[in-house]
Amino acid sequence: MGERRRGTAPKGGPKKISNGQSKDQGQWGRAWEVDWFSLGSVVFLLMFAPLIVYYFVMSCDQYQCSLAAPVLDIYSGKAQLSDIWQKTPRLSWTAVQIYTVWVLFQAFLYVAIPDVCHKFLPGYVGGVQDGARTPAGIINKYEVNGLQAWILTHILWFANAYHFHWFSPTIIVDNWIPLLWCANILGYAVSSFVLVKAYFFPTCADDCKFTGNFFYDYMMGIEFNPRIGKWFDFKLFFNGRPGIVAWTLINLSYAAKQQELYGQVTNSMILVNLLQAIYVVDFFWNEAWYLKTIDICHDHFGWYLGWGDCVWLPYLYTLQGLYLVYNPVQLSTPAAVGILLFGLVGYYIFRMTNHQKDLFRRTDGNCKIWGQRPKYIECSYTSVDGKRHHSKLMISGFWGVARHFNYTGDLMGSLAYCLACGFDHLLPYFYIIYMFILLVHRCIRDEHRCSSKYGKDWKLYTDAVAYRLLPGVF
Ligand code: NDP
């Protein structure tokens, strides 16, 4: 790699290294045109993702979480598709009420209660924060109050469970399939709304992308950061609030169900609750950082995020807890401790890698990584208004080990949740398989985008840090 483009921040501030700019550097964001492969994948997902979610949840409800049993039953003639469908709980008025109250309550916490946590919690960044520069050159402001929403929601949950008893703590799992229909209604409604909005009243027309293909535009989104009013940002709300705040509540509901059914909560359930709660709280603690991740910085808002946040995330990210309701697993102490440690190491790598990039970007390289000034490659890109902007790609710390070591840590944590469920069924392992595909695909997507954003400067970076996830392997 061209040594002259590598930079090491010297004492007293980062050193600026000159960087060439290629004239053919493209813009970033999702594609402007759709190829046949992407279109095929989009249509496939639109058709099958809702069925996949249904199949997993139904197989727990009717077949003790065995993925093979429904197929075998149909194959052997013991059951027909119509039988399975007949046994599936329908949309209920109770579920509609629960879901409506839930979403409205989260929307209220999001828009109506400015963050106060940053005043009390040292090190926590909340309140009004800047997002990253959009392709049109805009920097949006966000009210970061997710941690506060999570805390208030959980205080109410525990107050109800231990004091008020307004509703049973098993309310979520007891209405799990009727709630699935509600989540689908919201997921499709919001995805359709943002499609229409993009045509008729976009928040920022310069940040819209149209391919002209309905399915691709519907799935991948047209608007970059759709908003209603000044503060209701669709991406930040839908990804974090109905989905991720719910994650820990869903797990608590599963634990309560185990208690109700078996008179105890197994150590595997506690492990899943604990490891996933760490991940969720970490997300909200670092919500300001989330503003700089691919979801906010690059993805447009369509069905992929809208439906995905409402349905895919709460239903499939919580499969381990659901599995343990139907198949309680009591791990030996060494196994439980080993899985806990493995999950915590994965979390540490995930957190530290993300932290290193965040620190590096916030201080413009004027910081210490692993006790030393970080090395970096200076790079530049052009926004659609034709302006040149400068940036840096760090090649120190975990970012010098692999180009996406944060994904590696995330995968380790994900595997830990699955291992807690033992080896009797495939269903709880769906998460690690899915995360592996998601993150490998994300690596490739991100690198394609970075390559078009930074041009030959990106090539210098990939020469310096040769592997994506695991040095020597991939
Ligand atoms: P990253 O946080 O890795 O962000 C990638 C971006 O960082 C690139 O587009 C580039 O943006 C910048 N960048 C890349 N290399 C460098 C470098 N060497 N130095 C400085 N900046 C660099 O990706 P994600 O947003 O995908 O992931 C964030 C976290 O969220 C990850 O830990 C991931 O595991 C997790 N995640 C979890 C998911 C889940 O469903 N549980 C789903 C997706 C992600 P720029 O244009 O600014 O240069």
Side-chain angles (χ1 to χ4, degrees):
M1 84 145 251
E3 199 56 41
R4 108 196 139 74
R5 302 221 187 168
R6 252 186 213 187
T8 307
K11 286 190 185 87
K15 192 169 86 184
K16 197 171 175 217
I17 308 290
S18 89
N19 58 322
Q21 296 166 2
S22 80
K23 287 188 185 120
D24 59 351
Q25 272 176 299
Q27 291 307 317
W28 66 103
R30 74 143 169 82
W32 281 100
E33 286 168 5
V34 55
D35 55 70
W36 283 106
F37 178 74
S38 304
L39 183 59
S41 314
V42 159
V43 172
F44 177 84
L45 281 174
L46 280 171
M47 282 167 56
F48 289 106
L51 285 179
I52 292 171
V53 178
Y54 169 72
Y55 190 84
F56 276 88
V57 178
M58 175 280 295
S59 65
C60 280
D61 187 46
Q62 297 183 28
Y63 291 91
Q64 294 279 116
C65 298
S66 164
L67 289 176
V71 179
L72 291 176
D73 257 14
I74 290 168
Y75 183 72
S76 65
K78 268 202 219 158
Q80 292 189 335
L81 276 178
S82 55
D83 300 331
I84 292 176
W85 181 244
Q86 283 304 323
K87 280 196 237 160
T88 302
R90 297 287 185 263
L91 181 66
S92 68
W93 179 233
T94 309
V96 171
Q97 285 174 305
I98 297 169
Y99 200 72
T100 308
V101 169
W102 166 249
V103 175
L104 290 180
F105 179 58
Q106 288 308 312
F108 170 76
L109 292 179
Y110 180 57
V111 292
I113 311 199
D115 184 70
V116 291
C117 286
H118 67 281
K119 295 185 183 154
F120 304 108
L121 298 171
Y124 169 68
V125 181
V128 178
Q129 297 294 325
D130 285 345
R133 189 180 299 280
T134 72
I138 291 165
I139 295 185
N140 284 308
K141 296 230 174 273
Y142 295 83
E143 172 70 42
V144 171
N145 60 1
L147 184 66
Q148 177 174 277
W150 186 88
I151 292 171
L152 286 173
T153 306
H154 284 72
I155 287 175
L156 275 177
W157 177 271
F158 283 108
N160 170 69
Y162 291 101
H163 184 69
F164 294 115
H165 308 296
W166 293 317
F167 54 84
S168 161
T170 59
I171 190 170
I172 302 176
V173 60
D174 290 341
N175 291 279
W176 200 219
I177 295 185
L179 285 170
L180 172 64
W181 308 132
C182 301
N184 268 287
I185 291 169
L186 182 66
Y188 278 98
V190 78
S191 315
S192 306
F193 175 76
V194 290
L195 183 87
V196 173
K197 180 177 171 327
Y199 279 96
F200 295 106
F201 49 104
T203 304
C204 174
D206 285 347
D207 271 329
C208 288
K209 275 190 176 179
F210 296 88
T211 58
N213 184 289
F214 172 80
F215 293 110
Y216 190 82
D217 286 351
Y218 182 67
M219 166 120 178
M220 299 308 291
I222 297 171
E223 276 205 81
F224 196 53
N225 290 304
R227 285 186 170 207
I228 291 180
K230 196 174 169 196
W231 293 115
F232 191 88
D233 183 89
F234 279 68
K235 260 193 218 169
L236 194 61
F237 176 74
F238 279 100
N239 189 56
R241 307 315 165 80
I244 302 186
V245 176
W247 190 343
T248 34
L249 292 185
I250 294 165
N251 280 344
L252 287 170
S253 182
Y254 291 151
K257 193 71 189 174
Q258 262 202 348
Q259 181 68 42
E260 182 188 288
L261 290 174
Y262 312 109
Q264 63 155 349
V265 179
T266 60
N267 59 3
S268 54
M269 179 65 95
I270 295 171
L271 209 50
V272 167
N273 265 263
L274 180 71
L275 288 173
Q276 295 191 346
I278 292 173
Y279 194 76
V280 167
V281 173
D282 174 276
F283 173 84
F284 287 117
W285 184 274
N286 295 290
E287 199 178 17
W289 151 85
Y290 177 67
L291 300 177
K292 306 285 160 65
T293 62
I294 291 175
D295 283 356
I296 300 276
C297 301
H298 298 294
D299 286 342
H300 290 238
F301 189 87
W303 185 88
Y304 171 75
L305 287 178
W307 180 87
D309 293 339
C310 291
V311 181
W312 188 269
L313 191 154
Y315 277 84
L316 295 190
Y317 284 28
T318 58
L319 276 179
Q320 289 82 28
L322 182 65
Y323 173 84
L324 292 170
V325 169
Y326 291 92
N327 304 274
V329 172
Q330 186 66 23
L331 297 162
S332 68
T333 306
V337 171
I339 293 168
L340 178 65
L341 289 179
F342 183 70
L344 291 178
V345 170
Y347 169 72
Y348 175 79
I349 293 173
F350 160 83
R351 170 62 12 241
M352 287 316 293
T353 312
N354 288 326
H355 170 72
Q356 286 177 354
K357 187 185 84 173
D358 186 44
L359 180 68
F360 174 78
R361 282 280 168 94
R362 260 191 297 115
T363 59
D364 198 24
N366 201 358
C367 59
K368 288 207 169 164
I369 302 289
W370 289 352
Q372 292 181 342
R373 292 269 171 191
K375 293 180 181 170
Y376 58 84
I377 290 167
E378 185 117 8
C379 46
S380 63
Y381 60 93
T382 313
S383 51
V384 280
D385 54 11
K387 286 192 185 142
R388 292 297 292 174
H389 304 275
H390 295 275
S391 191
K392 297 182 175 78
L393 294 166
M394 176 164 58
I395 51 174
S396 292
F398 283 123
W399 294 87
V401 177
R403 299 202 291 274
H404 285 281
F405 214 54
N406 48 349
Y407 292 179
T408 310
D410 207 346
L411 288 172
M412 286 173 68
S414 307
L415 182 59
Y417 315 153
C418 306
L419 290 172
C421 298
F423 298 104
D424 288 344
H425 282 286
L426 180 64
L427 181 134
Y429 287 84
F430 167 79
Y431 188 66
I432 182 65
I433 298 167
Y434 161 73
M435 283 297 281
F436 185 77
I437 296 169
L438 175 92
L439 293 178
V440 167
H441 178 244
R442 209 169 163 98
C443 269
I444 295 165
R445 229 160 40 101
D446 185 47
E447 301 214 341
H448 177 71
R449 195 160 34 213
C450 287
S451 168
S452 82
K453 179 176 174 182
Y454 294 123
K456 60 187 178 182
D457 293 335
W458 182 255
K459 171 82 175 68
L460 295 176
Y461 174 55
T462 57
D463 287 346
V465 186
Y467 290 95
R468 291 178 172 118
L469 289 181
L470 213 53
V473 180
F474 175 71

